[in-house]
Amino acid sequence: MSSGQPSDNEEPVEPRADVLREEDEEEDSDEDRGSTRPLSPQAGRESAEIQGSSKLELAADGGTGSGCRGSNACDSLFSWICRRTIRRGPFVDPARDQFRTMTRLYKSMSPATDSVNLSTQTHGAVFNLEYSPDGSVLTVACEQTEVLLFDPVSSRHIKTLVEAHEDCVNNIRFLDNRLFATCSDDTTIALWDLRKLNSKVCTLHGHASWVKNIEYDTHTRLLVTSGFDGNVITWDTNRFTEDGCPHKKFFHTRYLMRMRLTPDCSKMLISTSSGYLLILHDLDLTQSLEVGSYRILRARRAPLSTEGSSAGSRSGGARHTIDSKNHPHREGLSPRNSLEVLTPEIPGERDRGNCITSLQLHPKGWATLLRCSSNMDDQEWTCVYEFQEGAPPRPPVSPRCSLRLTHYIEEANVGRGYIKELCFSPDGRLICSPYGYGVRLLAFDEHCAELTDCMPVRTALLREVRSIYSHSDVVLTSKFSPTHCQFASGCLSGRVALYQPHF
């Protein structure tokens, strides 16, 4: 990063401040080695702020150090990053400066000494982790019917919801800072209130098989669930009572694995164990979409021609069309809930007969993140697909070829048969991926830049920022905190590890 130049009205007797500014990057590594290890994300921010304030004062005082050091130590880390750009000249890009600082923070992530340890005899494997929107609570979905709640900063145990369900707890979703939902292999969904955890708010019945994940539409306040019965069901939380709330079947397909809503709730993505990815565009959850059997969708697979091979590659795989007579939504007779069926391109798998086990979405809605396994279950990949619609201008493609494979990386094929849940960081620059007995932090380039700032012309490998091995068993799930520079991981033996910057 280039340093700024002195302005025209700068006095000749003050060249020292400019020299210090030019040496700022060289001193960054010394800051990391000379700072102390914080006990919490808050302590890490305070340590960084004190150093940042001292450096600013040196530059402002011409190297004399006459400023009041540590006076802004209580400000947030992001305020410190903003202040760093002051008096650095017109040629410094504040965004690049922030990227560099955040990259250093994430590269220093290490397991906290006070990570949460759960007894395998009581709780079993950790299947899902979820932070509250304000980052004050970390919830843990356990194999043996229980849900645990912790303070993620102090790792203090808050509450155990004993027998939250009658079978494995699979997924947790916060509706707001106090209300959250859990789903289970007992085919039910439960609503809970943090202010009254002694009992459920209500229990929802409607699925015929294991319920695997939960989404929430903040616009309509509809809870959306999916299960291995192939059903996607919507629940009207505006009218819930102790006996439940009104619900209806929104969508059905065979081999359903995961279902997600984009951040703006304009699309629904559904992954399947047979390698297909279904996308509902212009989503309207108040209308049900009746679709024929999954065999019909498979039979209508569009073959890749030589002429269209490049377009198919850019769209992330073969595109499947739906007969307009049976499915008028696809041809625009109804502008809502138009269905697209894709077979995402997987590196090394030309037959495209893969299982899409994990599905996540970029926090800004720019891309989707898939964890895929091969037909023989002997290889796994993490793949990123860019949404063509609404993305920055690219070479023209077919209007409904929505996905293009941009980045991928092969994963350690450990713990066959278990689903590994990945996640994006809140800013979308990093991916946390379970990797054997640990986790890997992955980025789109070596600078941890935004996806739109480093979009490759051809498919590129994800860059490994850091690998951390802190478990004694296979890691099954990971999650970033929405408010702190922290993430968590859970493994098959029931241990939850918390990670934070260590300077």
Side-chain angles (χ1 to χ4, degrees), residues 188-208:
T188 68
I189 301 98
L191 290 179
W192 305 84
D193 193 322
L194 287 177
R195 300 170 298 181
K196 188 181 179 182
L197 291 170
N198 294 329
S199 62
K200 304 174 185 177
V201 175
C202 64
T203 301
L204 309 179
H205 300 270
H207 282 279

Side-chain angles (χ1 to χ4, degrees), residues 38 56 160 267 296-297 323 347 411 451 461 498:
L56 280 173
T160 297
K267 296 182 181 67
I296 294 177
L297 298 180
D323 191 345
E411 299 284 5
L451 175 61
L461 286 172
L498 300 175

Side-chain angles (χ1 to χ4, degrees), residues 347 406-410 443-445 456 458-464:
T406 61
H407 298 81
Y408 75 94
I409 194 168
E410 187 169 357
F444 303 114
D445 69 359
R458 297 183 178 179
T459 303
L461 286 172
L462 289 166
R463 302 296 184 94
E464 182 176 323

Side-chain angles (χ1 to χ4, degrees), residues 397-414:
V397 295
S398 179
R400 281 300 193 206
C401 289
S402 300
L403 298 180
R404 178 177 76 93
L405 177 63
T406 61
H407 298 81
Y408 75 94
I409 194 168
E410 187 169 357
E411 299 284 5
N413 189 36
V414 180

